[in-house]
Amino acid sequence: MNPTPSSPLPFYQPLQLGEGQHRWALLTPALRPYISSCWEVSIPAGIFDYTAIPDTCQHLVSITAPNCSLGHLCLPAIFPLKRQIIGPAKLFGITFMPGMRQRFIPIEIKQHERIQSWADLSSRPLSHLEIALNSEPEFQQKVHLVELWVTQQLQCQTITDSHKQKPFLSAFQSIKDALGNNALNEQWARERGVSSRHLRRLFLHNLDMTPKQYADIVRFQSSIQIIAHQGIDVLYQSHRYYDESHLIRQFKKFTGLTPRGFKNLSVLSKSDAG
C-alpha cells in the first residue's frame, strides 16, 4: 500500500537505506488514535546509512538478524538521527501517535536519551509482545499481533483524557489541522483557560518539545507530503514559509539537506506495496 494524496500517512519517516524493501500498514480505525502505523524494512547484506527525521512520534523497533534479535524505543528527535545498520536484517516498527506511547509504556524518558532498549523498559506486556514478534516471520501477522496487544492494553486500563489534558489536546489538534502554520499566542491559550507558559509545560510533558517545535515539525512533515505527491516546485510556490531561505533553513535543520537534496536522496519511489 503506497501513500496517496487522498490517504497520506500522518507522518512520513523515510528509511534512507539505499537498498531494501519498505512496507507499512495502518491498524484498524479504532486503534489509529493510538498507533499511526506499523512498518517493516528488509535489508540485504551490507552496511547502510539510516537517517531518522523528526516526526514527533515515538517508535518501537524490533530488529531481527541471523542469530540475533533486539528491540529499541526510538524517541522523536528534534534533529535528524543518523545511524548505520548492518544487514542482512529485518526491522519491524510500531509508530505511536504523538503523546500516546506513555499510555502503553508509562515511563519518563527524556529527549536526550533518544534510544532505549526494550529490555530496559521493565514492561511485562511489552516483553510478551517482543517474544511474539520475534517468533512471527510474516509482516501482516506481526501487524495483527500489534492490534491484539494494543486492544488488550486498552482493556486492561482506563484511558481517559482528563480535564487537565484538554488544553494540550486542543492545541495539539489545532496545530495539526493548520499543518503547523498557526501561532498559539497568549490570547489563544487564555481563551482555553490556561496560560501560554502552562501550555508549554503540557507539551514538554507529553511530547518533550514545545508547541513551536511541534508546529515546525508538523509544517516540515506536511512539506514532505507536498514533495511526495505534488513535486518540489509546488512546495517552493506554497508559501508555507516566510521565503525560500526560510524553507531551506528548516529542511537543513531537520534533514541536514536542502529540499532538492532531500528529494534526490529519499526512498519515496522505492516503497513496496503493503
Side-chain angles (χ1 to χ4, degrees):
M1 183 188 305
N2 287 327
T4 65
S6 59
S7 60
L9 281 171
F11 300 94
Y12 179 64
Q13 186 56 255
L15 293 164
Q16 315 274 13
L17 296 168
E19 295 185 49
Q21 296 180 328
H22 184 198
R23 307 171 68 190
W24 66 270
L26 297 175
L27 271 62
T28 58
L31 302 180
R32 291 177 196 169
Y34 308 101
I35 305 292
S36 165
S37 63
C38 291
W39 49 267
E40 181 180 78
V41 178
S42 298
I43 306 169
I47 300 176
F48 301 92
D49 293 328
Y50 164 74
T51 300
I53 60 174
D55 62 359
T56 81
C57 299
Q58 297 187 1
H59 311 266
L60 279 172
V61 182
S62 174
I63 305 173
T64 305
N67 304 316
C68 174
S69 64
L70 64 155
H72 289 140
L73 171 63
C74 301
L75 300 186
I78 296 175
F79 301 103
L81 173 63
K82 297 181 182 294
R83 303 182 70 193
Q84 281 192 330
I85 298 178
I86 300 176
K90 183 173 288 186
L91 280 66
F92 177 82
I94 304 167
T95 298
F96 290 97
M97 289 297 289
M100 292 296 152
R101 187 273 305 167
Q102 297 92 320
R103 301 186 175 204
F104 298 91
I105 309 172
I107 58 173
E108 290 291 334
I109 301 176
K110 295 302 181 183
Q111 179 68 48
H112 68 272
E113 294 178 280
R114 304 186 74 172
I115 295 179
Q116 188 89 3
S117 169
W118 284 26
D120 296 333
L121 299 178
S122 301
S123 170
R124 181 174 297 177
L126 182 59
S127 298
H128 292 166
L129 175 64
E130 183 177 13
I131 293 171
L133 291 176
N134 288 339
S135 62
E136 176 54 63
E138 298 297 326
F139 174 66
Q140 291 298 337
Q141 284 300 110
K142 286 178 183 283
V143 175
H144 180 61
L145 289 172
V146 172
E147 291 180 333
L148 290 177
W149 180 77
V150 174
T151 301
Q152 290 169 355
Q153 296 307 299
L154 291 173
Q155 292 172 345
C156 291
Q157 56 184 294
T158 302
I159 296 182
T160 58
D161 296 320
S162 68
H163 176 72
K164 293 180 180 179
Q165 284 292 90
K166 287 183 178 179
F168 163 72
L169 294 173
S170 177
F172 172 86
Q173 191 61 45
S174 176
I175 292 172
K176 186 176 178 182
D177 291 344
L179 301 178
N181 289 296
N182 58 339
L184 304 187
N185 54 27
E186 184 65 40
Q187 180 180 349
W188 190 99
R190 189 164 54 247
E191 289 173 353
R192 286 151 182 83
V194 296
S195 66
S196 58
R197 180 177 297 179
H198 181 64
L199 194 62
R200 177 186 172 92
R201 285 198 295 267
L202 288 174
F203 267 78
L204 288 171
H205 172 75
N206 285 278
L207 298 179
D208 200 27
M209 61 182 65
T210 67
K212 184 181 185 306
Q213 288 172 329
Y214 174 68
D216 285 347
I217 292 174
V218 170
R219 180 166 49 179
F220 161 70
Q221 283 283 337
S222 69
S223 298
I224 294 176
Q225 295 287 354
I226 291 178
I227 292 176
H229 304 307
Q230 298 173 267
I232 194 157
D233 291 334
V234 174
L235 173 61
Y236 275 100
Q237 298 166 9
S238 66
H239 304 294
R240 288 176 179 247
Y241 295 89
Y242 298 123
D243 51 34
E244 185 173 317
S245 62
H246 184 213
L247 166 63
I248 292 173
R249 284 199 306 273
Q250 289 294 296
F251 258 76
K252 284 187 174 181
K253 173 183 176 181
F254 293 131
T255 69
L257 301 165
T258 66
R260 295 191 186 278
F262 176 81
K263 171 61 177 176
N264 293 336
L265 181 67
S266 78
V267 294
L268 281 169
S269 62
K270 296 182 180 179
S271 295
D272 286 349

